[in-house]
């Protein structure tokens, strides 16, 4: 199934529900976040995190017949932020990842040109912008969104 497909997201959630139950009820991890196949565990103790990683990987291999991606499974300090779902997540704030911001800027410029040339309808332009605003609002982007809204008003 293609990545990003709603069906693949649904099946990933059904399949990984066993992982959620294991993490919550067997390991009793308090701060666990999962979205489809990405997850984060927060703990102040490095040894706990090492132990959790080992037990989760054993569970995934034995029960679900999958394993943790060796290049993506890391134990890091939260102070440096965690890349998750296109954001850089810190203890008290969230930023958009720079590559997501650059991608938006490229797409925005293209859509402005398509709109100016009459290829893209106003409603479609506004819908795509609102969709991105809906995503971006979960990060510290108030000023960025205001600047974009001002640019749109000028055009």
């Amino acid at each position: 199934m293609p990545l990003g497909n709603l069906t693949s997201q649904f099946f990933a959630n059904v399949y990984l529900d066993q992982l959620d139950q294991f993490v919550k009820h067997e390991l009793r991890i308090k701060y666990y976040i999962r979205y489809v196949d990405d997850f984060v565990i927060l703990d102040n103790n490095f040894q706990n995190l090492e132990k959790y990683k080992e037990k989760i990987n054993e569970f995934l291999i034995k029960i679900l017949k999958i394993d943790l991606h060796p290049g993506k499974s890391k134990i890091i300090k939260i102070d440096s932020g965690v890349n998750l779902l296109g954001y850089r997540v810190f203890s008290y704030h969230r930023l958009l990842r720079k590559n997501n911001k650059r991608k938006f800027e490229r797409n925005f410029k293209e859509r402005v040109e398509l709109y100016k040339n009459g290829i893209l309808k106003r409603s479609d332009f506004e819908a795509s912008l609102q969709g991105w605003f809906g995503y971006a609002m979960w990060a510290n982007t108030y000023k960025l969104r205001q600047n974009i809204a001002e640019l749109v008003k000028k055009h």
Side-chain angles (χ1 to χ4, degrees), residues 111 119-129:
R111 284 192 165 85
I119 298 168
L120 185 65
K121 293 189 291 185
R122 181 185 176 112
S123 60
D124 293 336
F125 176 77
E126 289 175 352
S128 70
L129 191 59

Side-chain angles (χ1 to χ4, degrees), residues 15-146:
Y15 192 68
L16 292 174
D17 180 65
Q18 291 180 69
L19 172 63
D20 297 340
Q21 300 310 313
F22 175 73
V23 167
K24 291 176 187 175
H25 301 293
E26 298 294 320
L27 298 179
R28 298 187 182 281
I29 295 173
K30 187 174 181 181
Y31 300 107
Y32 166 73
I33 304 161
R34 183 178 67 78
Y35 181 80
V36 188
D37 64 341
D38 291 329
F39 67 90
V40 174
I41 295 169
L42 303 173
D43 196 294
N44 291 326
N45 186 304
F46 183 83
Q47 286 75 26
N48 285 349
L49 292 168
E50 286 278 333
K51 180 179 71 173
Y52 295 152
K53 183 178 177 183
E54 185 179 314
K55 289 184 177 188
I56 287 169
N57 203 38
E58 286 174 13
F59 174 84
L60 291 173
I61 291 168
K62 288 179 186 174
I63 305 300
L64 298 180
K65 311 297 185 223
I66 57 176
D67 58 353
L68 293 173
H69 189 290
K72 294 182 179 180
S73 303
K74 302 173 189 166
I75 297 175
I76 61 170
K77 290 186 176 223
I78 192 80
D79 297 349
S80 58
V82 175
N83 285 323
L84 183 67
L85 306 173
Y87 303 101
R88 187 96 178 148
V89 181
F90 296 86
S91 299
Y92 297 101
H93 68 286
R94 240 176 267 115
L95 301 174
L96 283 179
R97 289 181 57 191
K98 287 179 184 174
N99 60 343
N100 285 1
K101 203 167 153 183
R102 283 192 295 266
K103 182 180 176 185
F104 166 76
E105 288 168 354
R106 278 192 312 271
N107 289 339
F108 179 71
K109 287 176 185 176
E110 287 173 14
R111 284 192 165 85
V112 167
E113 287 304 312
L114 291 172
Y115 174 69
K116 283 181 178 179
N117 294 327
I119 298 168
L120 185 65
K121 293 189 291 185
R122 181 185 176 112
S123 60
D124 293 336
F125 176 77
E126 289 175 352
S128 70
L129 191 59
Q130 287 302 318
W132 189 82
F133 276 14
Y135 163 74
M137 69 182 263
W138 298 104
N140 296 52
T141 59
Y142 179 79
K143 287 181 182 177
L144 173 65
R145 289 180 286 126
Q146 292 299 338

